[in-house]
Structures are given as C-alpha cells and as structure tokens.
Amino acid sequence: MKKLFFALFLMVAGTLAASAQLPAVTLKTIDGKTVKTDTLHNDGKPIIIDFFATWCKPCNRELSAIAEVYEEWQEETGVKLVAISIDQAQNVHKVAPLVSENEWPFETILLDPNGELKRALGIQMIPYTLIVDGQGKIVYKHNGYTDGAEEELIEVVRELVKK
C-alpha cells in the first residue's frame, strides 16, 4: 500500500511540475566559473538541486546526510547533486571553507548571492530541494529538512531512472 501511495504521489507531483524547466540564470561556481542554470545537465540522468546557506543548520545537516550516501547513489542511479548557496555577497567567502570542512563531494557548488535563481523559482525558505529529470524538467520540489528525508529524494530518483 505504501508503494502504491508513493507511486501515485510521484505521478501527481510529476504531472504538476512536469512543464517546469529551470530558468536561465547566470551564476558562478565557488571557483569563479560562470554557469547558466538552464544548461545544467547530467547526460540524461536526474539532478538534485539543493539550495542552502552557510548559516542554515538544517541545510548543512541535509547536505552532510546526502554526502554520506552520495557515492552509493551515484553508483546506483548516476544522479548528480548541484548545491546552490544563497549567501549574500558579503558572505560568499564562507561557502568554500564550509564545503571543504564538511568534505561535501558534490561536483557543482554554485553561488546565488543576489537571489536571482531563488526568486525565479519562487523559493521562500531553505533548505529547498528540486529534482530535475534527464530532460531538464523539474519533477519534484521540497522545502525543509528532517533527519532521514534524504530517503525520499533517492526514491524519487530511483523512480525516474526506471522510466
């Protein structure tokens, strides 16, 4: 019954968000490279996009929990995680040390100091997590974090990979 409910949830959530694409916003990586968000891709596999801030304890717990299982998730599904800091310009210098200190293994860490992408997606609170399918459509949205919530993320990714 639980699996049936979850499958129904995925179909409804997917239908509601299926037409949404990532907006075209230009951000920088923590290394200073420019990235257009509408060009983020993972060779047809899902991408988890996680909005966080250095000062947000639930955000940091969520990213650390995902980091613990990230390598397994990648091996199983090929998923990639893109973490996007919404720290303001005067605090972006804190992002790289936080990533390093926590040993987060994510390939892409982006900076949104002016909140352009956050605003374009209508995000009000963090942590905020999206899952983008292999065709670039936003198929899942979630805000907040409680311990263990990362299991819901991987279940959504697993369903996408099965399709």
Side-chain angles (χ1 to χ4, degrees), residues 24 49 55 57 70 111 159:
I49 300 175
W55 47 263
K57 291 192 186 328
Y70 188 58
L111 306 172
E159 289 297 317

Side-chain angles (χ1 to χ4, degrees), residues 6 10 150-160:
F6 187 71
L10 287 177
E150 64 277 1
E151 286 304 314
E152 186 177 323
L153 288 178
I154 191 59
E155 287 303 320
V156 173
V157 170
R158 286 176 178 137
E159 289 297 317
L160 290 172

Side-chain angles (χ1 to χ4, degrees), residues 12-85:
V12 171
T15 303
L16 293 174
S19 62
Q21 297 278 133
L22 282 176
V25 176
T26 302
L27 301 178
K28 292 207 182 278
T29 66
I30 55 176
D31 318 15
K33 296 180 183 135
T34 300
V35 174
K36 278 195 77 175
T37 55
D38 63 335
T39 65
L40 291 172
H41 66 87
N42 188 20
D43 299 322
K45 296 180 183 115
I47 300 173
I48 298 170
I49 300 175
D50 197 303
F51 288 83
F52 77 103
T54 56
W55 47 263
C56 173
K57 291 192 186 328
C59 301
N60 297 331
R61 281 198 336 265
E62 178 177 44
L63 288 170
S64 292
I66 293 171
E68 289 179 19
V69 293
Y70 188 58
E71 189 176 317
E72 295 165 26
W73 288 9
Q74 285 188 304
E75 287 174 15
E76 179 186 349
T77 65
V79 71
K80 178 167 91 173
L81 186 135
V82 174
I84 302 177
S85 166

Side-chain angles (χ1 to χ4, degrees), residues 74-99:
Q74 285 188 304
E75 287 174 15
E76 179 186 349
T77 65
V79 71
K80 178 167 91 173
L81 186 135
V82 174
I84 302 177
S85 166
I86 63 156
D87 282 276
Q88 294 180 347
Q90 66 266 28
N91 291 323
V92 294
H93 67 280
K94 297 177 181 178
V95 176
L98 178 73
V99 170

